[in-house]
Amino acid sequence: MSSPLDLVTLPLRLADDIGAIARAVARLPGIADDVAGARADVETLTADLAPVPPALAAVVTDVAAVRAELTPLLGRIEALAGPIARLEAAVAAMQVDLTAMRADVAPMDDDLAAVEAAVRETVPRLAEMHADLERLREDLSGLPFVGKS
């Protein structure tokens, strides 16, 4: 509803309306620039996105190829279970053999130590015997029937 005072306040409202229109018109070049920038951004984004669908299709193809190669590989990996189990059993058997061999070899260590001690004792005795033989040779060398060597 209109008020009887609307006619009186019209000039004041008209100045406000004209000011608002002037401010809006003054913002138009900036708005136009913003719209032009947005349009350029959309065009750039469109150009950037253009190669994406074919690239995604290539990735899908590659993933399918890898999956196709994995399927037989899985079978080959599963086929290794038997040989690995046999290897494990062979290694376990070898460990048992080595433990038994170690038990057999351990007493030999004492035997070899005794032999080593006997050899150590023999070396000085051999030196003594050598000295005794040298003295005997000297003693015998004076006899006429002993040849000189």
Side-chain angles (χ1 to χ4, degrees), residues 35-49:
V35 170
R39 183 172 185 198
D41 289 345
V42 169
E43 288 172 354
T44 302
L45 184 58
T46 300
D48 289 346
L49 290 176

Side-chain angles (χ1 to χ4, degrees), residues 1-15:
M1 285 198 183
S2 297
S3 161
L5 294 175
D6 283 345
L7 290 174
V8 177
T9 59
L10 180 65
L12 295 173
R13 281 183 305 139
L14 188 59

Side-chain angles (χ1 to χ4, degrees), residues 140-148:
L140 292 175
S141 66
L143 297 177
F145 56 85
V146 175
K148 307 280 186 203

